[in-house]
Amino acid sequence: MLIRSRRGWEIPEAQITPEHVFLNRRAFMTGSAGLLAAAAMPAGLRSAFAEADPSADLYPAAVNDMYEGGRPLTPEAISSTYNNFYEFGSHKRIAKAAQKLKIRPWTVTFDGLVEEERTVDVDTLLRAMPLEERIYRHRCVEAWAMTVPWTGFPLKAMVDYAKPLSDAKYVRFETFLDRKMASGQKQGWYPWPYVEGLTMAEATNELTLMVTGAYGKPLAKQFGAPLRLHTPWKYGFKSIKSIVRISFVAERPVGFWEEVQGREYGFWANVNPEVSHPRWSQATEELIGTGERVPTVIYNGYGEFVADLYKDMDGERLFM
Ligand SMILES: Nc1nc2c(c(=O)[nH]1)N[C@H]1C(S)=C(S)[C@@H](COP(=O)(O)O)O[C@H]1N2
Ligand SMILES: [Mo]
């Protein structure tokens, strides 16, 4: 079952879409309206972001509405105060602690099986990439979900930019390591820094998004600024935050949670309501902030984009 087409339970878009998405969608269609939309933002808010983040002028980006959220957006006040970011604590209320994250200067290193290793300033990178806004559902293995208007660019654009060699089979992502800045990283029983990986086919799938913003502005620190991954058909732990290194490799990377507990967290981690995690049934999920539970859908409802990636992989634990 797919969530792409409209369903009876969907509220008409006009009732659920926040103002910035509307302004934004008009901007996408008419071009010049985008300037008006940006000007319509409260001036105080705009200048606060402009001061704080040198990429602020890139937002809001044009909406790509190929990918329907299919659910009401999770209000920013909810999604930005209920986070998993173990670098800043092993509970959900890390938003305040995460403000310690220093996001400039910030560089991203491309290495491993590439034509040429290089380290790029994040602002140079952002300006070289085609930013757009997409509404995606996010599904954590702890059985909660949210729907967020992310801004970012297809990871494929960055793979092309990095120029991997033909023997690269996987992409390995790594988060920063700084025990002074992120007190969670003093917890020595975790295998810091956080690492995640995708196959090249997953990395270059059209759904795979490098996220640089949310809710029409640069990414809040607790969401994993300045650069995080989002693979909406996989459990949330695959969506690694605050990336500093992207390596092209021949061997399958071992992710942070797989390293911690390989029987509970695997490499593929595709959403499937029929395969329970040892501690959480995956049959339903809670839409955070609403108290509502809804049935979980295989591949989180994105099967039409990704199911083909997993044909003929019978021996693999695709769903944990
Ligand atoms: N570096 C890093 N990335 C991470 C995590 C983390 O603890 N550290 N948690 C993951 C998990 S389990 C989830 S569900 C999502 C949470 O994203 P959110 O806080 O933006 O909702 O981030 C993922 N990426
Ligand atoms: Mo998660």
Side-chain angles (χ1 to χ4, degrees):
M1 188 183 91
L2 303 171
I3 297 194
R4 193 112 179 265
S5 51
R6 288 203 179 279
R7 312 224 169 263
W9 50 267
E10 272 188 65
I11 307 166
E13 204 167 56
Q15 286 167 244
I16 60 166
T17 310
E19 186 183 32
H20 86 267
V21 175
F22 261 130
L23 294 169
N24 212 349
R25 186 158 295 166
R26 272 204 341 255
F28 189 60
M29 293 187 295
T30 65
S32 65
L35 298 171
L36 294 174
M41 271 175 83
L45 209 68
R46 249 188 317 143
S47 61
F49 283 115
E51 275 164 39
D53 191 307
S55 66
D57 63 295
L58 297 172
Y59 301 84
V63 172
N64 178 345
D65 53 16
M66 282 279 293
Y67 313 97
E68 285 181 49
R71 294 172 179 169
L73 292 183
T74 304
E76 184 180 6
I78 303 284
S79 57
S80 64
T81 54
Y82 186 89
N83 302 95
N84 271 339
F85 202 171
Y86 273 55
E87 284 81 347
F88 295 99
S90 52
H91 53 88
K92 296 291 177 292
R93 303 293 175 196
I94 54 76
K96 202 164 157 221
Q99 302 316 304
K100 279 212 183 124
L101 175 62
K102 192 166 178 274
I103 57 171
R104 294 294 187 290
W106 190 278
T107 60
V108 181
T109 296
F110 298 95
D111 64 9
L113 302 169
V114 288
E115 277 179 25
E116 200 182 348
E117 291 195 5
R118 55 179 166 161
T119 295
V120 185
D121 180 73
V122 75
D123 290 301
T124 306
L125 185 67
L126 294 193
R127 279 167 210 281
M129 293 292 125
L131 292 198
E132 58 180 55
E133 179 171 305
R134 299 183 184 187
I135 297 175
Y136 275 174
R137 299 178 295 281
H138 173 101
R139 171 60 156 81
C140 176
V141 72
E142 298 160 345
W144 55 266
M146 60 182 183
T147 306
V148 173
W150 300 114
T151 304
F153 52 86
L155 174 57
K156 179 170 189 313
M158 199 160 78
V159 169
D160 293 344
Y161 179 90
K163 299 200 174 80
L165 301 173
S166 59
D167 46 350
K169 299 266 184 299
Y170 299 91
V171 188
R172 178 185 184 278
F173 305 86
E174 197 178 287
T175 296
F176 69 86
L177 180 62
D178 185 336
R179 290 185 181 82
K180 273 211 196 101
M181 184 170 73
S183 60
Q185 292 184 330
K186 290 181 183 153
Q187 300 190 312
W189 56 91
Y190 286 117
W192 310 110
Y194 201 100
V195 165
E196 259 307 337
L198 296 172
T199 64
M200 286 298 280
E202 291 175 328
T204 54
N205 184 275
E206 64 169 283
L207 268 191
T208 307
L209 197 66
M210 290 303 306
V211 171
T212 64
Y215 299 94
K217 39 190 206 233
L219 202 57
K221 294 180 178 182
Q222 60 269 36
F223 284 134
L227 193 66
R228 69 85 68 86
L229 181 68
H230 196 224
T231 47
W233 72 97
K234 291 179 178 288
Y235 292 117
F237 66 86
K238 297 294 292 184
S239 292
I240 180 172
K241 296 179 166 183
S242 303
I243 296 165
V244 295
R245 182 183 303 275
I246 296 178
S247 309
F248 294 86
V249 296
E251 309 266 291
R252 186 181 291 184
V254 178
F256 178 87
W257 287 109
E258 188 179 0
E259 179 97 38
V260 170
Q261 184 49 279
R263 280 181 300 129
E264 298 191 3
Y265 307 94
F267 172 77
W268 300 102
N270 295 312
V271 174
N272 187 337
E274 289 175 8
V275 180
S276 290
H277 180 278
R279 278 177 286 146
W280 301 284
S281 160
Q282 300 299 350
T284 62
E285 60 206 58
E286 181 178 351
L287 306 179
I288 55 169
T290 68
E292 197 187 333
R293 292 198 82 81
V294 301
T296 290
V297 179
I298 191 161
Y299 295 117
N300 201 21
Y302 294 99
E304 69 179 297
F305 300 103
V306 297
D308 276 359
L309 293 170
Y310 307 106
K311 278 191 319 213
D312 312 318
M313 286 201 186
D314 295 344
E316 297 285 345
R317 292 194 305 170
L318 291 172
F319 302 108
M320 74 181 300

